Amino acid sequence: MKLTATSALLAVLALSSTAAQAEEKLFVYNWTDYTSPEAVKKFESETGIKVTVDTYDSNETLLAKLKAGASGYDVIIPTHNFVPVLISEGLVQKYDVKSLPNFANVEDRWKKSDWDPNQEYTAPFHWGTTSIAYREDLYGKKFESLGEYFKPEASVAGRVSVFKTPEEIVNMAHLYLGQEFCNSDPAQMQKVQDLLLEQKPAVNTYSSEGVNDRLINGDTVIGAQWNGYALKGRTEAAAANKVLAYAYPKEGVIGWMDTMMIPSTASNVENAKKFIDFMMAPENMALQSNFTGYANVIKGAEAHMTEELRTAPEIKAPADAKIVFSWACDAPSQKLIDKVWTNVLK
């Protein structure tokens, strides 16, 4: 089609307008109930960038979404053990994290993480632990061993909840059995499967969502849970005159860190960098922590956090607590994990 000078000029202006609009947008893909509305509102006010947040319930869901093609997302928040997977699959891009002004606020011990030693792909978001939350008033005693979860008493039969995905549950089983994570020994993985099948009759749901709701209403007495959600659940339970506690079993708890990354298909890379830098400012990361109930690694953030969060037992682990960080497993180990989980959920 032949364009007149006027129509050509209008077309150029239209394209310029579209580009300008694109620069004022940011699409974030994060865990459910894991993005502070107050932090988002503050970012939008300070930058003029409109933020849209979509959510997922597992790292596997995030991975599948990215592998399916162009996602339209600019910032994602995967857990540390999925970082090597996303990098090797070419699903994320490098960005100069160390050049962002607020990277100076990151605690020194987290500036060269094992999962991103050159700090080329990730900036820290939250960190925490995965263990067991339980209704102490219904259970009637302190939860002290993972054996109470995998081999529950008859009194809690049908009132045990398990995450939807296998990663952390399998690692908890390894902790209980005294085995290494990412285990490629079929005999040891058979022990994990046997343990999970022994537990299954006592399980009321395999889900990573609604754990606190089920604990508070009493449908669940013992459930796998993240420490930040356990803190929120304890507060909500107390308002209903119920007692929800977070356990540090003798076998240990699983450590994790969520990170901020930029997908390779991101359309608003500069806006993504602005958001990531914004989140590493102490007062902004404190908004995140106050909302989610999780710890962070930003120096100075604690001064802006609530007293409850600074002193919460879910966040401040006992000095003698054993915290074991998980890792992304190699292909043989992952194949065995998937096989075990498939057999458990049959």
Side-chain angles (χ1 to χ4, degrees):
M1 180 178 68
K2 186 176 181 180
L3 295 176
T4 66
T6 301
S7 60
L9 177 59
L10 289 173
V12 170
L13 290 173
L15 287 172
S16 299
S17 175
T18 300
Q21 290 174 2
E23 291 173 358
E24 296 175 356
K25 296 179 181 179
L26 182 73
F27 297 91
V28 177
Y29 197 33
N30 199 359
W31 295 82
T32 303
D33 297 326
Y34 207 47
T35 310
S36 164
E38 191 175 355
V40 168
K41 184 177 180 180
K42 186 170 185 263
F43 176 76
E44 291 178 329
S45 175
E46 291 182 5
T47 64
I49 298 169
K50 173 63 178 176
V51 179
T52 300
V53 179
D54 286 344
T55 63
Y56 52 87
D57 63 355
S58 71
N59 284 299
E60 289 81 3
T61 299
L62 167 62
L63 178 61
K65 185 81 168 183
L66 295 180
K67 291 180 74 171
S71 63
Y73 298 116
D74 304 308
V75 177
I76 56 173
I77 319 290
T79 308
H80 73 281
N81 57 333
F82 266 66
V83 167
V85 177
L86 295 171
I87 293 172
S88 65
E89 294 277 351
L91 298 171
V92 290
Q93 60 181 278
K94 290 182 180 180
Y95 64 104
D96 194 0
V97 184
K98 297 185 290 295
S99 72
L100 299 178
N102 285 320
F103 182 72
N105 297 322
V106 175
E107 294 176 7
D108 290 343
R109 64 177 175 141
W110 298 107
K111 284 184 175 178
K112 290 186 178 180
S113 61
D114 291 336
W115 46 89
D116 186 16
N118 296 320
Q119 215 64 49
E120 297 175 308
Y121 293 91
T122 66
F125 195 66
H126 285 316
W127 86 280
T129 60
T130 304
S131 182
I132 305 298
Y134 65 106
R135 277 286 300 277
E136 189 174 355
D137 51 335
L138 296 179
Y139 196 46
K141 59 182 179 179
K142 295 289 185 181
F143 185 103
E144 297 181 341
S145 169
L146 287 171
E148 299 170 55
Y149 180 62
F150 291 113
K151 300 181 179 183
E153 299 174 354
S155 61
V156 296
R159 301 169 81 182
V160 175
S161 69
V162 179
F163 286 152
K164 175 185 177 181
T165 54
E167 173 191 341
E168 290 164 308
I169 299 302
V170 168
N171 283 341
M172 284 186 192
H174 282 313
L175 284 178
Y176 174 65
L177 295 168
Q179 301 178 166
E180 295 293 327
F181 292 173
C182 294
N183 204 307
S184 59
D185 183 341
Q188 293 198 6
M189 288 303 293
Q190 182 64 51
K191 291 181 181 179
V192 170
Q193 179 174 300
D194 291 344
L195 184 66
L196 295 177
L197 287 174
E198 183 179 357
Q199 178 197 42
K200 187 173 182 178
V203 175
N204 62 6
T205 184
Y206 290 89
S207 175
S208 302
E209 299 180 298
V211 179
N212 285 336
D213 291 339
R214 289 188 293 273
L215 283 163
I216 292 170
N217 67 29
D219 289 343
T220 294
V221 175
I222 301 173
Q225 186 59 299
W226 299 284
N227 63 330
Y229 281 130
L231 169 56
K232 293 181 73 174
R234 174 168 61 84
T235 302
E236 293 168 1
N241 295 315
K242 298 171 183 178
V243 183
L244 195 156
Y246 185 72
Y248 289 93
K250 62 183 181 182
E251 297 87 357
V253 297
I254 299 168
W256 53 265
M257 175 173 281
D258 287 332
T259 67
M260 295 180 280
M261 305 187 79
I262 302 177
S264 56
T265 55
S267 299
N268 303 290
V269 175
E270 292 307 311
N271 288 350
K273 291 179 182 179
K274 289 178 182 178
F275 180 80
I276 292 168
D277 188 56
F278 171 88
M279 291 309 309
M280 289 190 290
E283 63 275 17
N284 299 331
M285 186 55 80
L287 290 176
Q288 264 298 133
S289 285
N290 288 336
F291 174 74
T292 62
Y294 287 107
N296 64 75
V297 299
I298 301 300
K299 291 179 288 188
E302 192 169 276
H304 303 277
M305 289 158 56
T306 65
E307 177 66 18
E308 180 188 22
L309 186 57
R310 289 196 298 268
T311 60
E314 296 88 352
I315 305 303
K316 294 287 187 181
D320 60 349
K322 180 181 178 182
I323 301 176
V324 184
F325 274 76
S326 59
W327 297 102
C329 298
D330 58 19
S333 300
Q334 189 61 50
K335 185 176 181 179
L336 283 175
I337 291 171
D338 294 341
K339 182 179 180 181
V340 165
W341 199 242
T342 298
N343 290 337
V344 169
L345 295 185
K346 281 182 179 177

